[in-house]
Amino acid sequence: MKPYGSDDIGLKRRETNAGVPRRRAAVAIAIFCIFAALMNGVSIRDSVALKPYGTVRRAWLFAAEPLATIAERTRLPWLRQTLEQCFHNTD
Amino acid sequence: MIFPTLEFALFFLVVLSSHWLLYRFAGIWKWLLLGASYFFYGYWDWRFLGLLAASSILNHACARSMQRFDGARLRKLFLVLAVAFNLGTIAFFKYYGFFVEQAYALAFRFGIPCSLPLLDIVLPVGISFFTFQALSYVIDVYRGVMPPTRHMLDFALYLSFFPQLVAGPIVRARDLAPQLAAFRPPERIDLGRATFLILGGLFKKTVIANYLSQTVVDPVFAYPEAYGAIDTLLAVYGYAVQIYCDFSAYSDMAIGFCLLLGIHIPINFDAPYSATSIQDFWRRWHISLSTFLRDYLYIPLGGSRVGAAGVYRNLMLTFLLGGLWHGAAWTFIVWGALHGVYLCIERAVAGRPAKRAATLTGWRRFGRQCLVFHLVGLSWIFFRSQTFAEAGVMLRNLARWRVTPEFPGTTLLLAIVAGLASQCLDNRRQVRGWDAFNRLPVIAQGLLAAMVLVVILAMGPRGVAPFIYFQF
């Protein structure tokens, strides 16, 4: 008896032969995460700020106050600018 | 916690890294995955963790007892106990309110006093899925198809394994439990297939399903009286595509996440809207449920090995219960009944419809696909409607051709066509794409996947609605 989709047995066979070595897969996933985080920077902040999904938003708001103080006191314009942009999105 | 969110991405990254760091230490590894799965489930409502744990303990105890005792009557007793517990749980949480309402309605009609307590019961997410998985385990152990797992931990991990816990696929114990009990890491990870499944699923859910839901399906089904035939047709087509994109997206992403963990679970969809008969449709739609109903309900009832009347009875019973599985409402039962009737008519007219339809080619094949799509679409009206009155208005609307359409037909048709075209991601249809991705340099793989993710997130509307099948 073939319990599932007709081609599934083919997929099981493929499982053992196809793909990339584990370490290579781990490197690819790490690169993906870095690029995704860089390219989605604004989107991630937006999603944290705008989607009412409890924990992460609460954590962000919890961190926001000390970060705001840093933003006010810092002499590094790029850091101030980045933090201000984050707060803008949070608001 | 739902898949297309930042929370899940962070959660999965932690689990994935810990999994590959700790898999050599079987004991710690199993507790890690169990802890992650319970955290994933408890993120919605921690109160139901007890239900999941109780289900694990009782089902495993019954399965072990079936193996320990030789007497046929005693084995049957433990099977009945486990089945009663599973069906009782699902009946209480999912159907109690429905049955009480029906009892009150019936009592009122016949003037009989009725004093059943009305309880406000919260439906635990994914109860239908993990209960069916538990049922498949105890029945398979009883039938001798598989031995019970050696340790309770192995079974608890199987039952709560997070990628498919809340919305399937309903993975049989014999397919998943051995992989978790003695994890043998594959030498190679099918990164190409996993990437296609996860990003394809994300596209189907966040772009197509969400767009169709927000633009046309929800408004029309909320106030059907306000719309004419074209808008209603768009909403029905839209819902057919939305539910496919929504549900298959969850299954695809679950399979993709499992692949990254080095675990194989079976496919759940195989381009269902290219089916050329209703029987063919059910071989392609929610395959894990249809095969579950076939193996644990239809065949034990006698299947096709009884007289013609018996086959029709078995088909109708299977699909009525299949409809009821989706939810405690008469609209779901009518949806199931419609599919049962379709299958009975097909069998009466064509004998073995799937076999005959497979030989069709060209326009005749396309015509059959359109017919099946429309029959399935008609049944979705009952599935999506809250009441019969609403479904009735939707059906009457199909004759109101003089009402001016309100929705942007071209854009919606484009989204519907894109949703139908996304079926090309199912099963092995993109095997060349998977292999091509696997051959790319590692930086290109990471960069390409990240770019696709950015495009998908940019195209999708803000926020992600929960998956439709969470409510089942």
Side-chain angles (χ1 to χ4, degrees), chain B residues 427-445:
Chain B
N427 209 344
R428 293 174 65 87
R429 289 177 182 80
Q430 293 302 325
V431 74
R432 284 185 185 173
W434 306 343
D435 289 337
F437 188 87
N438 282 333
R439 283 194 299 270
L440 284 175
V442 71
I443 290 187
Q445 286 175 334

Side-chain angles (χ1 to χ4, degrees), chain B residues 51 128 138 160 199 214 233 252 270 291 300-301 306 308 313 323 332 404 467 472:
Chain B
L51 179 67
S128 309
V138 287
S160 64
L199 292 180
Q214 290 176 10
L233 261 181
D252 288 353
D270 186 9
T291 50
L301 282 170
V306 288
R313 179 203 62 204
F332 288 117
T404 316
F467 288 86
F472 306 142

Side-chain angles (χ1 to χ4, degrees), chain A residues 2-88:
Chain A
K2 280 191 284 184
Y4 292 108
S6 56
D7 275 341
D8 195 52
I9 288 162
L11 286 177
K12 263 184 187 162
R13 195 175 299 125
R14 174 184 166 77
E15 200 77 3
T16 52
N17 302 326
V20 298
R22 288 206 306 263
R23 271 170 199 262
R24 200 165 170 274
V27 175
I29 292 169
I31 292 171
F32 163 76
C33 290
I34 293 165
F35 279 126
L38 288 173
M39 290 194 277
N40 277 303
V42 175
S43 302
I44 288 170
R45 280 199 299 271
D46 281 353
S47 61
V48 168
L50 296 173
K51 288 176 191 168
Y53 293 147
T55 314
V56 175
R57 187 163 191 263
R58 278 200 296 275
W60 174 245
L61 293 175
F62 181 75
E65 204 168 324
L67 286 172
T69 316
I70 296 169
E72 278 169 16
R73 293 180 186 175
T74 186
R75 291 180 182 178
L76 299 169
W78 61 269
L79 181 60
R80 187 168 56 241
Q81 206 174 346
T82 311
L83 290 170
E84 278 170 2
Q85 198 184 352
C86 294
F87 300 133
H88 174 71

